[in-house]
Amino acid sequence: MSLTVVANRVPIRRSDDGEWAPSVGGLTTALLPVLRQRGGAWIGMGEDPDLPERQLFPAADPDFTVRRVPLSQDELDGYYYGMANRVLWPVSHYMIQHFEPNPDFMEIYRSVNKRFADAVVEEVAEDDQQIWLQDYHLMLAPQHIRKARPDATLGHFWHIPWPAMEVFRILPWARELLRGMLHCDLVGVHVEEYVDNFLESARVLLGAEIEGQTIHYEGHTTRVEAHPIGIEVERFKQMAASDEVTGKAARLRERLGTEYIVIGIDRLDYTKGVLSRLEAFERFLEDNPEYHGSVSFYQIATPSRTQVDSYQQLKREVDEVVGRINGQFARDNWVPVNYRYRTYTQFELCAFYRAADAALITPLRDGMNVVTQEFITATENGALILSELTGAAYLLPEAIQVNPYDRDGLAASIRMALEMDEEERTTRLQGLKSTVEKLDVQRWARGFLDSLQQQGQ
Ligand code: GDG
């Protein structure tokens, strides 16, 4: 049975030699082999204006179709920067202060979802097809697809938290959006807690009947399951052990010259807790003068959604706090906070993971957080400080778990990480590594697709 993947982005990008090549990223890596084997299509918005509306890929020996849904600037502003980034993203992450419930966003979101659905229907000729939609950009497409292809098997994976029902219902269009999703046969989220929230939303807001993990609503049945995503474990392992990465890591340690290195790596997003992390590091320095000169905190923040006001505001605030900390504490050759606002290659990121004694991964909310898994895979003996408000925390009890809003607790956890004895460090890391090995992204894709097939039978 062929597969059609529908996602905000397409899985290819223009490479240096001008040819279209697979883009880097867990989702692409997990799903391209399946598409190559089974045939089908990948449908996405495709931001590159040079991307043809429809092409067979790879050009030399095609296995599947890449289909672009071209969007006008107004559509992009309403559907992506508006509804996705200013409405669904903040509400799902419990960040109501960033929520902008503009009805124009929803109007455009409806029509763009319909356009995605039309493209799917054009690509999917027969009914014995699996269609897999990705994420919060596409909540309404399933209902249109279902109408035109009643017998297709429809799955949806939600990559961010599904919030508590009482939070989800803040959305003025909560019921309409949920109804759209209930045309799927399978909805996947990262952890059981999000499954419970989804079921509760359907029960309370739509009066749907819930039977175990299955929702019965208006004659259709939707199963909701936890499928925690993983990373490309083997590739990360090899990258981490490569000469390029170990060389870079050694040079980084030499350049910083401190006994300890603590890292943070995130898209610069208000959900990732960068600001409160910096403030906790400041508290750590205030409380522990004996560490002055011997710890460097290296924060990489990748530019993200830079057109959205709240992201620009966050950038200014981070700049300010970094300046304040360094202004107060730096001395001689020691700079306490090394802050980089730019993107890196995966090899470079891997070198940071490898060089670090501890990683501070402290989102205020996160669906999963795969940086955690990348760090665990790459490090040889690093300690992990992890926010308990991430999906990853449910799966990784061996991490030092913290509440990211607890500045004193976070500051204390930094000290604990640096002073942890070798034996405890090793035992915790073994537990973490063994979980991450099992969370491989290929396994995630197979697990979801196998379950989807069962729902379709
Ligand atoms: C969503 C959910 C869920 C970051 N900077 C650079 C770079 N990255 C890579 C990291 C990692 C990825 O981006 C970020 O993954 P996260 O999981 O932290 O977060 P989101 O982007 O918010 O993703 C999240 C995920 O979907 C999967 O379901 O875990 O909860 O929010 O892989 O390494 N990569 C490169 N250069 C950078 O500068 N190459």
Side-chain angles (χ1 to χ4, degrees):
M1 198 192 293
S2 64
L3 173 69
T4 298
V5 177
V6 197
N8 187 46
R9 299 218 151 82
V10 292
I12 56 173
R13 61 179 173 85
R14 184 87 84 177
S15 64
D16 294 342
D17 60 9
E19 298 297 320
W20 293 102
S23 48
V24 184
L27 193 62
T28 305
T29 321
L31 295 183
L32 284 197
V34 185
L35 278 173
R36 290 215 171 117
Q37 192 200 341
R38 291 171 41 178
W42 186 307
I43 299 170
M45 82 174 164
E47 286 151 299
D48 187 335
D50 294 338
L51 185 74
E53 253 187 59
R54 197 168 186 280
Q55 68 175 303
L56 294 174
F57 188 82
D61 182 16
D63 303 310
F64 64 97
T65 303
V66 176
R67 169 77 186 250
R68 172 177 181 227
V69 179
L71 299 184
S72 67
Q73 192 56 49
D74 282 352
E75 285 176 320
L76 193 65
D77 289 345
Y79 146 85
Y80 180 69
Y81 288 109
M83 190 66 187
N85 289 346
R86 290 179 164 96
V87 176
L88 296 170
W89 178 266
V91 171
S92 300
H93 289 87
Y94 299 74
M95 306 252 141
I96 311 304
Q97 68 275 32
H98 296 288
F99 166 49
E100 298 175 41
N102 179 341
D104 295 342
F105 295 160
M106 180 60 183
E107 199 49 51
I108 297 174
Y109 184 81
R110 286 190 188 101
S111 67
V112 170
N113 265 256
K114 174 77 167 62
R115 293 195 49 203
F116 269 94
D118 290 345
V120 173
V121 172
E122 272 178 42
E123 294 303 327
V124 177
E126 308 131 34
D127 280 342
D128 66 335
Q129 282 256 3
Q130 278 189 341
I131 300 166
W132 188 1
L133 298 115
Q134 304 288 330
D135 235 348
Y136 57 100
H137 311 87
L138 297 167
M139 297 177 84
L140 297 175
Q143 77 195 43
H144 301 296
I145 301 171
R146 175 64 69 208
K147 219 183 209 166
R149 294 284 177 271
D151 296 325
T153 309
L154 267 176
H156 195 297
F157 193 84
W158 184 265
H159 289 259
I160 62 178
W162 189 281
M165 178 277 292
E166 285 289 4
V167 172
F168 182 73
R169 76 183 307 170
I170 288 171
L171 293 166
W173 315 282
R175 291 180 179 83
E176 178 184 350
L177 293 164
L178 197 50
R179 254 188 237 116
M181 300 273 289
L182 292 185
H183 290 267
C184 292
D185 300 293
L186 176 65
V187 170
V189 288
H190 289 304
V191 292
E192 298 296 342
E193 286 67 19
Y194 308 156
V195 172
D196 294 344
N197 292 344
F198 191 99
L199 296 173
E200 180 78 348
S201 302
R203 185 180 68 79
V204 176
L205 302 179
L206 297 179
E209 188 196 330
I210 312 297
E211 197 186 348
Q213 288 181 223
T214 301
I215 302 173
H216 302 283
Y217 184 65
E218 294 191 337
H220 190 79
T221 294
T222 305
R223 193 169 159 78
V224 189
E225 290 180 349
H227 287 269
I229 204 165
I231 61 164
E232 301 163 76
V233 178
E234 254 332 293
R235 197 168 68 81
F236 260 90
K237 264 192 197 165
Q238 283 170 16
M239 199 156 56
S242 68
D243 291 346
E244 182 178 344
V245 165
T246 50
K248 273 188 203 300
R251 284 193 293 281
L252 180 69
R253 288 206 71 103
E254 205 174 304
R255 181 160 62 77
L256 291 176
T258 47
E259 193 178 348
Y260 303 105
I261 300 176
V262 179
I263 54 154
I265 296 181
D266 313 79
R267 280 189 303 102
L268 190 58
D269 191 297
Y270 51 77
T271 61
K272 301 288 182 186
V274 176
L275 210 50
S276 32
R277 184 182 313 160
L278 284 163
E279 285 166 350
F281 186 67
E282 184 177 36
R283 175 66 49 88
F284 165 80
L285 294 176
E286 284 162 4
D287 292 350
N288 299 284
E290 67 276 27
Y291 276 98
H292 293 192
S294 63
V295 184
S296 308
F297 178 45
Y298 212 109
Q299 174 67 51
I300 291 174
T302 309
S304 177
R305 305 176 191 173
T306 50
Q307 307 189 16
V308 179
D309 293 345
S310 48
Y311 288 70
Q312 295 167 3
Q313 165 82 14
L314 174 64
K315 169 153 190 319
R316 286 192 291 273
E317 288 170 359
V318 169
D319 286 348
E320 199 182 303
V321 175
V322 171
R324 186 177 78 207
I325 300 173
N326 284 340
Q328 185 179 346
F329 293 101
R331 65 171 198 222
D332 305 326
N333 294 326
W334 177 56
V335 180
V337 180
N338 291 265
Y339 169 59
R340 300 288 182 274
Y341 178 66
R342 49 162 282 206
T343 52
Y344 286 86
T345 64
Q346 277 194 330
F347 272 85
E348 288 169 325
L349 291 186
C350 215
F352 285 106
Y353 294 140
R354 187 89 178 181
D357 298 285
L360 256 181
I361 303 183
T362 58
L364 305 178
R365 282 288 161 181
D366 217 333
M368 169 61 82
N369 191 293
V370 298
V371 167
T372 306
Q373 300 184 24
E374 293 168 0
F375 171 70
I376 292 168
T377 307
T379 188
E380 283 185 304
N381 65 351
L384 170 63
I385 302 168
L386 178 62
S387 158
E388 61 187 9
L389 304 183
T390 59
Y394 288 110
L395 310 167
L396 300 168
E398 297 89 353
I400 303 172
Q401 296 210 0
V402 289
N403 180 318
Y405 292 95
D406 173 10
R407 190 179 301 179
D408 290 331
L410 244 176
S413 75
I414 298 173
R415 188 176 174 133
M416 177 182 168
L418 300 182
E419 295 180 358
M420 189 182 284
D421 67 51
E422 206 54 38
E423 194 185 329
E424 181 177 353
R425 206 176 255 262
T426 310
T427 314
R428 284 183 187 251
L429 193 56
Q430 275 168 353
L432 296 168
K433 280 186 186 276
S434 109
T435 303
V436 170
E437 292 252 352
K438 291 182 214 122
L439 290 175
D440 189 87
V441 74
Q442 309 282 356
R443 178 217 49 85
W444 168 79
R446 268 198 311 275
F448 185 91
L449 288 169
D450 286 351
S451 181
L452 184 59
Q453 190 166 1
Q454 281 175 24
Q455 309 316 316
Q457 279 164 0

